[in-house]
């Protein structure tokens, strides 16, 4: 009897382990993901260099992403940990809060102040935005920069008790604002506007604002720009319980809980000019009956924001690309307005990536008294066949102050201001884009000046 029981248990275990494999035969592989990430592709036996020595490892990754019933098993595990033990099965990505709320864990360092930027990095971010604004305005367009606050920054009350008591008095968002003011950046403060509202304008099971929050954000941005637009503050709307949050999909991919969403009547009026899978697409072009042309650099917060912004401009281009291809995008789209929207958790990207645009030419003699040096650590000159050549390098430690500006003298007579960038590990550098037509084929002379 005991022998039969052991055999039965072994058979059951083998069957359960084989279920995912058997599922391939009856249901095929799982080709879509609701976990907010890209699935592993089926590996190739060969590479450009010959046999793919990582084939088995890659095959394992592919199987983990595609085996049958994976979504159901992930959901079952998530339900057990979330509903029974009030913890997250996706502990590296999702925080299970109280009252059915979910939070994106990537925002936790901002909340706890464990990722604070240095004063130099804050300057890098603010001064880069100021240089972008100068270029935009010199080309006849308006500029605005805004930050979409993290959900837990606005609504921390449903965080688990072991997180809620550790909110930092400092944050990159708070620390950046004085630098933006000193640099004269046209900053649109969404945090203050959203925090003053009596109602919650973010989804409980998503990391972003709802459509009403997006409408308020767009109204604030467009008002700051002086752009004529529809004010949805008093518009009629209906509430449908049909929204599936991104965090909900990550945690419970086969058992999501729909929540309320706002739908305006009538909805924003605009037309997509190209085929769009979703508002998360990397490049989106729109048109409407309004005036002006918008270039907007955005992230996922603009998914809900996009319809309201698109309605307000005759032509609009929304880009998720980094670095910003500012010169090309402004010229191609005849931009009358440029907007940079950045989620709070991505503020550090502002000091790490310089936009692709010609360096600001210094013609007023303000840098004539600088002492220039050819000692530029790790100087590189890159040209990928485009109109601009990228010049970059590292600053020597101790050679700059918190708010030092960086200048490059090209071939003894042309002076540009370069973008300050944070290179990580405490190192600082610069990036400058020079029109390739100004460079000599047989070599160029670059001298560094720091104010």
């Amino acid at each position: 009897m005991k022998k039969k029981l052991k055999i039965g248990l072994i058979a059951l275990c083998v069957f359960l382990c084989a279920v995912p494999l058997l599922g391939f035969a009856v249901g095929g592989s799982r080709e879509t993901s609701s976990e907010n990430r890209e699935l592993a592709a089926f590996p190739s036996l060969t590479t450009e260099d010959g046999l793919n020595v990582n084939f088995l490892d890659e095959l394992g990754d592919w199987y983990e992403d595609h085996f049958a019933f994976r979504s159901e098993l992930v959901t079952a595990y998530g339900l057990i940990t979330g509903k029974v033990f009030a913890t997250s099965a996706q502990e590296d990505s999702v925080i299970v809060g109280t009252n059915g709320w979910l939070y994106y864990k990537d925002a936790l360092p901002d909340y706890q102040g464990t990722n604070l930027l240095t004063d130099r990095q804050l300057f890098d971010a603010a001064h880069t935005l100021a240089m972008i604004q100068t270029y935009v305005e010199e080309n006849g367009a308006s500029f605005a920069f805004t930050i979409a606050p993290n959900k837990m920054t606005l609504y921390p009350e449903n965080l688990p008790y072991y997180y809620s008591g550790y909110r930092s008095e400092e944050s990159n968002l708070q620390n950046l604002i004085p630098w933006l003011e000193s640099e004269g950046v046209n900053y649109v403060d969404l945090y203050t506007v959203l925090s003053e509202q009596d109602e919650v304008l973010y989804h409980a099971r998503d990391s972003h604002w709802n459509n009403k929050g997006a409408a308020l954000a767009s109204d604030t941005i467009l008002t700051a720009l002086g752009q004529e637009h529809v004010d949805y503050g008093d518009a009629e709307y209906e509430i449908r319980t049909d929204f599936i949050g991104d965090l909900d999909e990550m945690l419970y991919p086969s058992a999501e809980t729909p929540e309320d969403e706002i739908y305006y009547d009538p909805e924003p009026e605009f037309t997509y000019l190209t085929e769009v899978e979703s508002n998360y697409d990397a490049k989106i072009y729109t048109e409407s009956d309004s005036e002006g042309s918008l270039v907007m650099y955005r992230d996922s917060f603009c998914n809900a924001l996009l319809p309201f912004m698109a309605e307000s401009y005759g032509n609009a281009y929304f880009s998720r690309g980094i670095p910003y291809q500012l010169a090309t995008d402004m010229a191609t789209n005849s931009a009358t307005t440029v907007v940079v929207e950045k989620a709070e958790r991505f503020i550090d990207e502002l000091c790490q990536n310089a936009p692709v645009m010609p360096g600001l030419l210094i013609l007023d003699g303000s840098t004539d008294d600088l002492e220039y040096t050819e000692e530029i650590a790790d100087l590189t000159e890159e040209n990928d066949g485009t109109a601009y050549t990228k010049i970059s390098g590292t600053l020597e430690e101790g050679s700059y102050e918190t708010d030092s500006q960086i200048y490059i003298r090209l071939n003894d007579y042309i002076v540009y201001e370069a973008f300050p960038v944070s290179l990580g590990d405490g190192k600082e550098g610069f990036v400058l884009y020079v029109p390739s037509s100004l460079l000599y084929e047989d070599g160029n002379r670059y001298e560094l000046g720091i104010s």
Side-chain angles (χ1 to χ4, degrees), residues 341-354:
E341 175 270 318
K342 185 69 71 174
E344 180 184 351
R345 65 179 182 269
F346 297 139
I347 286 177
D348 60 337
E349 293 182 354
L350 294 168
C351 66
Q352 298 169 353
N353 300 284

Side-chain angles (χ1 to χ4, degrees), residues 70-82 251-255:
R70 183 183 190 280
S71 180
E72 289 76 10
L73 293 171
V74 168
T75 298
Y77 180 61
L79 288 171
I80 293 171
T81 57
L251 202 56
Y252 313 116
S254 293

Side-chain angles (χ1 to χ4, degrees), residues 93-345:
S93 303
V94 183
I95 296 173
V96 175
T98 58
N99 300 313
W101 274 55
L102 303 175
Y103 293 89
Y104 197 34
K105 196 169 185 178
D106 276 10
L108 192 60
D110 291 309
Y111 181 80
Q112 296 183 326
T114 58
N115 65 339
L116 295 178
L117 299 176
T118 66
D119 284 345
R120 177 63 187 180
Q121 290 172 319
L122 292 168
F123 168 79
D124 290 348
H127 194 65
T128 291
L129 289 166
M131 293 175 68
I132 292 174
Q133 179 171 297
T134 296
Y135 178 79
V136 169
E137 293 177 348
E138 286 180 349
N139 283 274
S142 301
F143 176 80
F145 167 67
T146 193
I147 296 173
N150 294 334
K151 177 177 167 179
M152 65 178 67
T153 297
L154 287 169
Y155 310 110
E157 55 270 19
N158 288 302
L159 279 169
Y161 70 91
Y162 45 85
Y163 289 132
S164 59
Y166 292 92
R167 184 169 191 172
S168 172
E169 295 182 358
E170 283 190 87
S171 71
N172 288 326
L173 173 57
Q174 294 172 333
N175 292 344
L176 179 61
I177 292 174
W179 287 99
L180 294 173
E181 292 174 349
S182 67
E183 289 291 322
V185 175
N186 184 22
Y187 168 62
V188 182
D189 182 2
L190 295 182
Y191 170 76
T192 298
V193 172
L194 291 166
S195 62
E196 290 175 346
Q197 307 305 307
D198 293 331
E199 61 183 311
V200 173
L201 297 177
Y202 279 47
H203 289 290
R205 306 178 70 78
D206 190 90
S207 53
H208 306 91
W209 45 40
N210 61 22
N211 284 341
K212 196 169 187 179
L216 176 59
S218 69
D219 178 66
T220 305
I221 296 168
L222 293 166
T223 299
L225 287 165
Q227 179 71 14
E228 185 176 346
H229 64 283
V230 176
D231 183 355
Y232 285 86
D234 297 320
E236 294 184 2
Y237 62 84
E238 65 173 316
I239 300 176
R240 304 177 204 159
T241 308
D242 61 358
F243 181 84
I244 303 298
D246 58 353
L247 303 178
D248 206 10
E249 288 184 303
M250 293 169 66
L251 202 56
Y252 313 116
S254 293
E256 305 97 334
T257 302
E259 57 182 305
D260 291 348
E261 179 59 288
I262 301 292
Y263 292 92
Y264 289 97
D265 185 18
E267 297 179 344
E269 297 181 2
F270 68 97
T271 302
Y272 292 106
L273 295 181
T274 55
E275 186 175 345
V276 174
E277 183 175 337
S278 76
N279 280 358
Y280 200 74
D281 286 6
K283 296 180 179 182
I284 296 178
Y285 296 87
T286 66
E287 68 176 5
S288 75
D289 293 332
S290 299
E291 300 294 326
S293 179
L294 170 69
V295 169
M296 185 167 185
Y297 299 108
R298 43 68 63 107
D299 49 42
S300 57
F301 269 91
C302 196
N303 292 1
L305 194 65
L306 186 148
F308 304 103
M309 300 297 293
E311 180 186 51
S312 304
Y313 288 89
N315 294 280
Y317 168 60
F318 301 89
S319 171
R320 291 179 53 234
I322 296 177
Y324 306 147
Q325 304 293 316
L326 187 63
T328 300
D329 292 341
M330 284 195 68
T332 302
N333 297 282
S334 301
T336 59
T337 302
V338 173
V339 174
V340 173
E341 175 270 318
K342 185 69 71 174
E344 180 184 351
R345 65 179 182 269

Side-chain angles (χ1 to χ4, degrees), residues 10-26:
I10 293 173
L12 178 61
C13 290
V14 171
F15 173 76
L16 291 175
C17 291
V19 164
L21 282 173
L22 295 173
F24 279 116
V26 297

